[in-house]
Amino acid sequence: MKKRVGFGIGLLLLWVGCSFFSPAELSEMIPGMSKQMDKLECWLTITFKKYPSGIDPRDVQVKFSSMALEQPEVFDWEYIAAHDVISLGFMQGFKENPASVPEGRPPLEVPLKVNFPLHAKQYLYTAGETIELTAELFWGGKKVASSNRTIEHVYE
């Protein structure tokens, strides 16, 4: 019994360590319908922690995939930086985040909040399957973070 507990704790520490040492993280993934209720969108917060060596720091992509999407969708650093916003408070709207600009490097330790428009299928025929949306962050061509959420509420 001691070996199993030790092995489980070791796996947990490895998982926590991998996310701790990752150069970036994804958080606050909030998928849903747009205000006009005409398309799927996903709010996602990206935090870059340290620049990986040997790459162009602007070689950033966020890839969304789901059985609900027409096809996987990829957004680059130019899109992310141009659409990064800061909340003005509850129901007050947003303003551009001056910390991120398309021609600059991703700012470190600054949460970037971006709304990604997604092309979802109008109808889904599932047999009790969980419908998930996955976001993956690639930096220098290497996956450095991912997150997923269920999106059944969009199709009710």
Side-chain angles (χ1 to χ4, degrees), residues 48-78:
F48 296 97
K49 300 185 221 174
K50 62 182 177 184
Y51 298 119
S53 60
I55 68 160
D56 176 357
R58 295 176 299 163
D59 183 6
V60 173
Q61 291 185 328
V62 173
K63 177 183 177 182
F64 289 93
S65 57
S66 172
M67 66 187 304
L69 297 180
E70 293 290 342
Q71 62 189 17
E73 299 201 34
V74 179
F75 298 85
D76 61 8
W77 170 245
E78 188 173 328

Side-chain angles (χ1 to χ4, degrees), residues 33-99:
M33 293 299 289
S34 65
K35 286 182 183 178
Q36 296 79 19
M37 300 295 286
D38 63 345
K39 66 179 180 267
L40 179 65
E41 63 184 20
C42 184
W43 283 97
L44 185 64
T45 300
I46 307 166
T47 304
F48 296 97
K49 300 185 221 174
K50 62 182 177 184
Y51 298 119
S53 60
I55 68 160
D56 176 357
R58 295 176 299 163
D59 183 6
V60 173
Q61 291 185 328
V62 173
K63 177 183 177 182
F64 289 93
S65 57
S66 172
M67 66 187 304
L69 297 180
E70 293 290 342
Q71 62 189 17
E73 299 201 34
V74 179
F75 298 85
D76 61 8
W77 170 245
E78 188 173 328
Y79 178 89
I80 295 165
H83 293 86
D84 177 24
V85 295
I86 298 171
S87 176
L88 297 174
F90 185 70
M91 302 295 288
Q92 299 294 313
F94 300 93
K95 69 175 185 174
E96 289 182 19
N97 185 353

Side-chain angles (χ1 to χ4, degrees), residues 74-150:
V74 179
F75 298 85
D76 61 8
W77 170 245
E78 188 173 328
Y79 178 89
I80 295 165
H83 293 86
D84 177 24
V85 295
I86 298 171
S87 176
L88 297 174
F90 185 70
M91 302 295 288
Q92 299 294 313
F94 300 93
K95 69 175 185 174
E96 289 182 19
N97 185 353
S100 59
V101 292
E103 59 276 356
R105 301 183 334 170
L108 297 179
E109 300 299 336
V110 175
L112 281 67
K113 186 173 187 73
V114 181
N115 186 354
F116 295 93
L118 303 171
H119 298 91
K121 297 175 182 174
Q122 191 169 5
Y123 300 101
L124 279 182
Y125 301 101
T126 61
E129 293 180 65
T130 300
I131 307 168
E132 290 188 334
L133 178 66
T134 300
E136 297 173 300
L137 177 63
F138 294 86
W139 205 0
K142 179 182 176 187
K143 184 167 83 168
V144 295
S146 65
S147 185
N148 64 340
R149 297 289 182 269
T150 60

